[in-house]
Amino acid sequence: MALNFFDQFMSPTLFGIPLIALALTLPWILFPKPSSRWLNNRMLALQSWFINGFAQQIFQPINLGGHKWAALLTSLMIFLITINMLGLLPYTFTPTTQLSMNMAFAVPLWLATVIIGMRNQPTHALAHLLPEGTPTPLIPILIMIETISLFIRPLALGVRLTANLTAGHLLIQLIATAALVLLPLMPTVAILTGALLLMLTLLEVAVAMIQAYVFVLLLSLYLQENV
């Protein structure tokens, strides 16, 4: 029984072909396309309002040099939110529960921010490894600690997104299984368990959006340090 709970995190296959590519492509098909009309419909207006508000909030504290990342980080934000929300539907697969895919997003973007900082302002970038006023005997230890904390950033990005979504999906499946088992034995308890499942599902919708926002927000903070 315990193994069945983790089957939902396995990449589905059809005739031996992994369908994760289809799961990654599907969100882009659902987005409304821009129109040539002067007045857009409500869906396009809502999408434009969301993108503009998010871009202003994220890139307001960043220098003009970092605004080149606006399209990339905004697209990543919308993509992660859509994947996370689609993964809450029944009989669907959530690619962001795979640590390998999240690391494939986190490592290149984090590395790009580090390279930009080393290229544009190497002195300022290296100064983060040693806080000002550090006692001389602690300099080697602090440099090692700051270097480790620098290289652990992409791992923290990927693990945070994977762990939160995986834990939420497991909780939903556990409570749903408990409600189904208790229904013929104790209907009242099963109804209360179903109400708890509904509240947990609403919480997971919020977590799906918040985790995508946190992922992009931390990347923008790394970019802010190096621009």
Side-chain angles (χ1 to χ4, degrees), residues 23-46:
L24 293 175
T25 308
L26 182 61
W28 300 110
I29 303 175
L30 301 177
F31 297 147
K33 302 298 186 295
S35 65
S36 58
R37 298 178 180 178
W38 286 10
L39 293 177
N40 294 326
N41 56 30
R42 291 183 178 89
M43 184 63 69
L44 281 174
L46 181 62

Side-chain angles (χ1 to χ4, degrees), residues 131-214:
E132 187 177 358
T134 304
T136 304
L138 296 179
I139 288 178
I141 299 175
L142 280 179
I143 290 178
M144 292 176 58
I145 293 175
E146 293 296 330
T147 303
I148 293 173
S149 67
L150 176 65
F151 282 97
I152 211 172
R153 283 178 174 182
L155 180 62
L157 281 176
V159 170
R160 181 186 295 107
L161 183 59
T162 304
N164 281 281
L165 295 179
T166 302
H169 284 66
L170 282 176
L171 277 176
I172 288 177
Q173 186 168 2
L174 285 170
I175 296 178
T177 304
L180 187 62
V181 171
L182 291 173
L183 186 59
L185 303 176
M186 293 180 286
T188 305
V189 179
I191 293 174
L192 294 176
T193 307
L196 178 63
L197 177 62
L198 177 61
M199 291 186 290
L200 180 62
T201 304
L202 296 177
L203 177 63
E204 281 304 308
V205 171
V207 168
M209 294 186 288
I210 291 172
Q211 288 303 317
Y213 175 76
V214 169

